[in-house]
Amino acid sequence: MSVLIKSVRLYGEGDPVDVLVADGEIADIGTGLSGDEVVDATGCVLLPGFVDLHTHLREPGREDTETIETGSAAAALGGYTAVFAMANTNPVADSPVVTDYVRRRGEEVGLVDVHPVGAVTVGLKGEQLAEMGMMAAGTGRVRVFSDDGMCVYDPLIMRRALEYASTLGVLIAQHAEEPRLTKGAVAHEGPNAARLGLTGWPRAAEESIVARDALLARDAGAKVHICHASTAGTVEILKWAKSQGIQITAEVTPHHLLLDDSRLETYDAVNKVNPPLREKSDVEALRAGLAQGVIDCVATDHAPHAEQDKCCEFSQARPGMLGLETALSVIVETMVNTGLLDWRGVARVMSERPAEIAGLDDQGRPIEIGEPANLTIVDPSASSKVDKLNSLAKNTPFRGMELPGRVVGTMLRGRVTALNGEVRR
Ligand code: NCD
Ligand code: ZN
């Protein structure tokens, strides 16, 4: 069955065209085309499907907060065609038993390509390297490894992990947090946390690890990816490292591009996240860094949590925020409507760069005849109030906010996975 995306502007450029999709590929681009199913995309922008390098799907272990199925649905609704499922599950994804399962379950659900992330160290404990080679060789085909949630804090372990990863041709993604500097920390260290009596998480805890890992990657001739960059100083270090030819890449989350620590005032733990919401000056630096390519891409860090783990004392609450279904709108608000990125730029930071970083050859591809039909249709003029989301969990900091831009439809290898807010299983 063919699908015709009717009257859409590729990357928001030029005149509207029709895009015919058949057999999983873009079969034709032109005007006056016809197809079996017609998706009217008048006024919409067509982009390559989004790729999320940082998603927590909570299966196995916390299926009360998200599953591979519910998370895949949220991803499709958010315009994603590929997500990387982090390893901090229970049991931890530190062996092929878990990573093979995550891959297989994602394929069964079939709404988005679910790529398992393997742990760097056994049990995320930071002490002993996990069998990265076995996870890479298994049916899970793991290509990205991370202890996310925890930092690979020991420099010698990190050095060995980078060396091992470089011989395997896989990527290490670091959650940069020097644990000796963040003991008991729950909020960004600054005037707001001090006034509110919250223990601070200093910028240097992130920046010192980013700088250290840049040097370790340089010496190992390895690649390193920095998860959720959150400070102006991290942007400066990335700029320096890239100028030295170090193979370092980085992501920023939508929430760090929009929110700052003035949100802590209410002590509502929906605003608690790792790394913490920083200051306005950091938000500005992150936006500029993303616009200039110093920060490579956007990753959601979609982190579902149960009500009881969020609606409690701030210090006891778990850190993390939902992200998949609101990412595009937050990027439109912070990067497009501010003039920092055009739609080509959105395609770069939400699809092309993350696909390249993870080495996916069928995602983030040009919208051209013969290319795989992994596509996202966006209505740039729509605007809506964030209300009920489709994730099992409810912890979105954006609830009640009026945000611009809407994902109208998503297509995975030519199959419509979401259309007008409905998932197509
Ligand atoms: C993440 C989680 O809940 O798993 N939480 C968070 O605050 N970001 C872990 C992580 O990404 O560090
Ligand atoms: Zn993290």
Side-chain angles (χ1 to χ4, degrees):
M1 194 189 89
S2 63
V3 178
L4 185 74
I5 306 172
K6 193 146 192 67
S7 198
V8 76
R9 295 174 69 223
L10 311 188
Y11 306 97
E13 295 166 357
D15 293 327
V17 291
D18 300 342
V19 176
L20 180 67
V21 170
D23 300 323
E25 290 182 356
I26 298 174
D28 203 358
I29 300 177
T31 48
L33 305 181
S34 52
D36 298 330
E37 178 182 359
V38 178
V39 174
D40 180 15
T42 308
C44 292
V45 169
L46 191 63
L47 299 175
F50 303 152
V51 176
D52 191 7
L53 291 178
H54 192 147
T55 317
H56 297 275
L57 294 181
R58 305 300 190 213
E59 180 177 348
R62 284 305 298 263
E63 292 86 349
D64 59 318
T65 62
E66 200 79 288
T67 65
I68 291 169
E69 180 165 18
T70 61
S72 293
L77 289 163
Y80 286 89
T81 48
V83 299
F84 285 75
M86 278 297 177
N88 64 339
T89 50
N90 188 6
V92 170
D94 59 4
S95 76
V97 179
V98 181
T99 52
D100 292 356
Y101 169 76
V102 170
R103 169 80 65 184
R104 197 183 69 232
R105 184 67 196 130
E107 284 170 357
E108 281 166 12
V109 174
L111 290 171
V112 60
D113 288 343
V114 178
H115 298 277
V117 175
V120 177
T121 69
V122 175
L124 310 179
K125 289 197 169 68
E127 290 163 2
Q128 191 192 334
L129 288 185
E131 269 295 357
M132 295 198 273
M134 299 235 300
M135 289 186 267
T139 57
R141 305 191 305 281
V142 182
R143 293 292 173 271
V144 178
F145 291 85
S146 181
D147 273 4
D148 182 60
M150 307 294 271
C151 181
V152 183
Y153 58 89
D154 182 326
L156 187 57
I157 297 280
M158 187 59 178
R159 180 179 196 179
R160 291 193 175 133
L162 288 169
E163 288 165 353
Y164 187 13
S166 132
T167 60
L168 287 172
V170 299
L171 180 70
I172 303 276
Q174 174 73 295
H175 167 119
E177 175 182 356
E178 167 52 60
R180 295 274 288 158
L181 291 174
T182 61
K183 213 165 183 312
V186 298
H188 165 65
E189 183 184 85
N192 278 327
R195 191 167 42 80
L196 298 166
L198 299 171
T199 306
W201 199 132
R203 294 184 180 95
E206 172 173 307
E207 295 157 357
S208 57
I209 296 291
V210 176
R212 182 200 77 176
D213 288 357
L215 301 176
L216 292 176
R218 178 193 66 188
D219 290 358
K223 291 181 186 167
V224 68
H225 178 74
I226 302 300
C227 295
H228 41 48
S230 75
T231 78
T234 290
V235 177
E236 288 307 309
I237 296 164
L238 289 167
K239 202 180 288 174
W240 171 81
K242 288 186 168 191
S243 77
Q244 303 298 300
I246 296 171
Q247 300 179 77
I248 192 166
T249 54
E251 66 191 34
V252 62
T253 70
H255 47 269
H256 288 107
L257 289 170
L258 182 60
L259 310 176
D260 62 61
D261 72 345
S262 62
R263 301 256 313 184
L264 300 178
E265 207 69 37
T266 59
Y267 291 96
D268 184 341
V270 79
N271 298 307
K272 184 172 175 182
V273 66
N274 253 345
L277 299 179
R278 303 280 183 191
E279 297 180 28
K280 280 199 170 56
S281 51
D282 298 288
V283 172
E284 291 306 318
L286 294 168
R287 290 182 185 186
L290 182 64
Q292 292 159 11
V294 177
I295 295 176
D296 299 81
C297 64
V298 172
T300 67
D301 192 7
H302 179 81
H305 286 296
E307 203 110 335
Q308 69 268 24
D309 295 324
K310 275 294 189 184
C311 297
C312 57
E313 213 182 310
F314 198 86
S315 63
Q316 299 303 310
R318 301 224 178 160
M321 299 172 166
L322 298 183
L324 287 169
E325 294 173 73
T326 46
L328 183 269
S329 288
V330 176
I331 296 313
V332 175
E333 170 85 7
T334 58
M335 301 299 295
V336 179
N337 289 359
T338 51
L340 289 167
L341 284 183
D342 56 14
W343 290 103
R344 279 268 171 194
V346 174
R348 171 166 60 82
V349 301
M350 295 195 67
S351 176
E352 295 162 7
R353 280 302 284 149
E356 278 165 23
I357 290 167
L360 303 181
D361 49 20
D362 59 341
Q363 298 280 350
R365 300 290 308 162
I367 304 176
E368 287 170 8
I369 295 171
E371 291 287 352
N374 296 315
L375 300 166
T376 300
I377 305 166
V378 171
D379 182 350
S381 59
S383 152
S384 48
K385 206 177 230 169
V386 180
D387 186 19
K388 215 189 129 11
L389 299 176
N390 288 270
S391 275
L392 271 185
K394 299 191 172 63
N395 54 305
T396 173
F398 307 116
R399 175 158 294 117
M401 280 189 189
E402 184 79 27
L403 290 175
R406 181 186 300 141
V407 173
V408 170
T410 312
M411 199 177 251
L412 176 66
R413 282 183 287 280
R415 192 176 87 73
V416 177
T417 52
L419 190 63
N420 296 319
E422 301 284 336
V423 177
R424 289 221 195 152
R425 282 167 216 280

